[in-house]
Amino acid sequence: MFDVITIGSATLDAFIETDAANIVSVCSTNTKKDFMAYPYGAKIEIDNFEFETGGGGINTAVNFAHLGLNTSTIVKIGDDVQSEKIKKVLKNADVDLSNIVKTKKYQTGFSIILTSFQGDRTVLAHRGANAQLDIDDINFNAIKNSKWLYLAPLNGNSTKVLDKVAAFAEENNVNLAINIGTSSIKQGKEHLYSILRTAEVIILNKDEASMLTGIEVRPDTKHEKYSTEIIHPDIRSMLKEINTEKSKIAIITDGKHGVYAYDGIKFYQCDEFPARVVSTLGAGDAFSSTFVASLEKTNFNIEKSLKYASVAAASVVEKFGAQSGFISFKEIEKRLDNNLDFKVNTFIE
């Protein structure tokens, strides 16, 4: 029996770091978007580069195992050099390999991660085998005998497995956590909500939450100062819409602005834990998997789990690589003991 099984992507990532990236902000009366830009036609000098394994299925599996959970993962990889490196990383992390699906038809997923001087990144992704996970690839017996099923973002044809996998977890009393990706959201709100109703934990970033709900976060004006509220009213509306009738916890992450949660009664707001940002890649996976692992550890204590997850994410952004900053529960608690003023704000609307 596994404590948790993850389903998601597996990639070999090339991290490219250069201070030549420009951050361009484009604003309108209702929205603001940031773009990473390089001089057109120029040859850009690279300051640093590394190869690491990544993908939501892999990152979360390695972190779950690092936190002491008996972990397996269902990912689809090619029959190539990249896949052997992925399997080696999983084996070294003590993640069970028996549910990995290998195919000769597609290449293992590959990504190029462009990192800015601010630590944020833009990802160029080749999905490969990640987009071809079939329902026949899923070991349902293993899921049935697991405490948790964690669904990382899926893409391409792989999104077609979500319905049956989520329904199976519900029917067999397996706790479901889902980190929704844009590919799934693009299938439509009505389709996705049938899946969300089965989940104990739903996690999105702010942009994904806006895309799913159709709610835009309004900026401050000279007449209304939304930023003075603990949680912006538009984000509260998102949380309430995402937290459907059977869902236990809805979470929206907001980068350097922290994280927001709603359990159907109470709202939660947690600031970003202090960190020196090197790269933000993998912070979301670290947060999400640590939050779920913490729920298991604390008997669904949401406040403590938000704290633990925020510390774990902060540790990851201080390293160059999605898995380099993973820390244990003992180290998380030590960092919290050294930051006793770090707290979670709560209120009932």
Side-chain angles (χ1 to χ4, degrees):
M1 180 175 181
F2 297 109
D3 293 320
V4 61
I5 293 177
T6 72
I7 300 179
S9 59
T11 65
L12 184 65
D13 296 333
F15 289 82
I16 309 297
E17 186 176 28
T18 173
D19 287 341
N22 297 292
I23 309 303
V24 179
S25 296
V26 178
C27 302
S28 69
T29 54
N30 295 317
T31 62
K32 175 185 176 183
K33 293 186 179 296
D34 295 327
F35 297 86
M36 188 181 296
Y38 300 91
Y40 184 72
K43 181 180 289 186
I44 307 298
E45 293 292 332
I46 293 173
D47 300 314
N48 189 24
F49 75 94
E50 292 182 20
F51 288 98
E52 301 284 350
T53 58
I58 298 299
N59 290 339
T60 54
V62 172
N63 192 40
F64 277 126
H66 194 81
L67 291 168
L69 279 69
N70 184 16
T71 307
S72 186
T73 187
I74 300 174
V75 294
K76 197 164 190 174
I77 56 178
D79 185 13
D80 46 34
V81 174
Q82 299 97 293
S83 67
E84 293 306 312
K85 182 172 178 61
I86 288 170
K87 288 169 65 177
K88 183 178 180 180
V89 168
L90 290 171
K91 185 176 180 180
N92 289 342
D94 202 25
V95 175
D96 173 79
L97 307 181
S98 63
N99 294 305
I100 293 177
V101 182
K102 199 169 187 178
T103 177
K104 293 184 177 181
K105 191 174 180 180
Y106 303 100
Q107 292 179 311
T108 300
F110 181 79
S111 294
I112 297 173
I113 294 96
L114 304 173
T115 306
S116 78
F117 62 91
Q118 293 180 332
D120 286 324
R121 78 280 185 258
T122 295
V123 181
L124 309 178
H126 171 65
R127 303 300 186 184
N130 291 320
Q132 304 300 331
L133 188 68
D134 299 319
I135 200 67
D136 293 338
D137 295 326
I138 306 296
N139 185 343
F140 284 97
N141 191 54
I143 293 173
K144 184 177 181 179
N145 293 297
S146 178
K147 293 180 182 178
W148 281 91
L149 175 64
Y150 180 94
L151 293 177
L154 296 171
N155 50 76
N157 292 328
S158 298
T159 60
K160 297 176 182 178
V161 309
L162 283 173
D163 280 11
K164 290 184 179 180
V165 169
F168 184 85
E170 175 80 356
E171 292 164 5
N172 290 276
N173 297 314
V174 178
N175 290 322
L176 174 64
I178 180 168
N179 185 356
I180 307 166
T182 55
S183 294
S184 297
I185 294 172
K186 288 176 181 177
Q187 292 188 24
K189 183 188 301 184
E190 294 75 15
H191 164 76
L192 195 55
Y193 275 8
S194 67
I195 298 169
L196 300 184
R197 281 194 293 269
T198 68
E200 275 66 41
V201 180
I202 304 163
I203 304 172
L204 311 88
N205 64 38
K206 188 176 71 173
D207 290 340
E208 292 164 343
S210 180
M211 185 186 302
L212 175 64
T213 62
I215 299 170
E216 292 282 353
V217 178
R218 292 165 291 176
D220 284 351
T221 68
K222 59 185 178 182
H223 301 296
E224 296 176 292
K225 299 295 182 184
Y226 303 113
S227 60
T228 61
E229 301 190 37
I230 296 175
I231 301 179
H232 193 293
D234 293 332
I235 292 177
R236 297 203 302 270
S237 296
M238 291 180 190
L239 287 166
K240 287 190 285 188
E241 184 163 341
I242 293 165
N243 190 22
T244 54
E245 57 191 277
K246 293 184 181 179
S247 299
K248 308 294 190 304
I249 308 163
I251 293 176
I252 295 175
T253 60
D254 192 13
K256 63 184 179 182
H257 300 294
V259 60
Y260 320 102
Y262 178 60
D263 64 5
I265 299 174
K266 186 184 294 185
F267 288 96
Y268 304 78
Q269 182 274 330
C270 184
D271 288 336
E272 181 184 48
F273 193 79
R276 182 181 64 87
V277 178
V278 174
S279 171
T280 59
L281 188 75
D285 289 333
F287 178 92
S288 300
S289 51
T290 303
F291 181 81
V292 171
S294 300
L295 288 179
E296 181 67 19
K297 176 182 174 66
T298 65
N299 193 27
F300 273 73
N301 185 316
I302 297 174
E303 288 188 44
K304 185 172 285 188
S305 297
L306 286 171
K307 286 184 178 182
Y308 281 18
S310 297
V311 173
S315 178
V316 166
V317 303
E318 292 181 328
K319 303 290 184 180
F320 195 63
Q323 299 170 20
S324 303
F326 289 161
I327 54 178
S328 65
F329 275 124
K330 183 177 180 180
E331 177 61 26
I332 289 172
E333 290 167 351
K334 180 181 178 181
R335 295 189 184 192
L336 285 171
D337 287 341
N338 292 330
N339 291 269
L340 294 177
D341 58 342
F342 185 70
K343 65 178 183 178
V344 175
N345 296 304
T346 65
F347 65 93
I348 297 174
E349 201 172 41

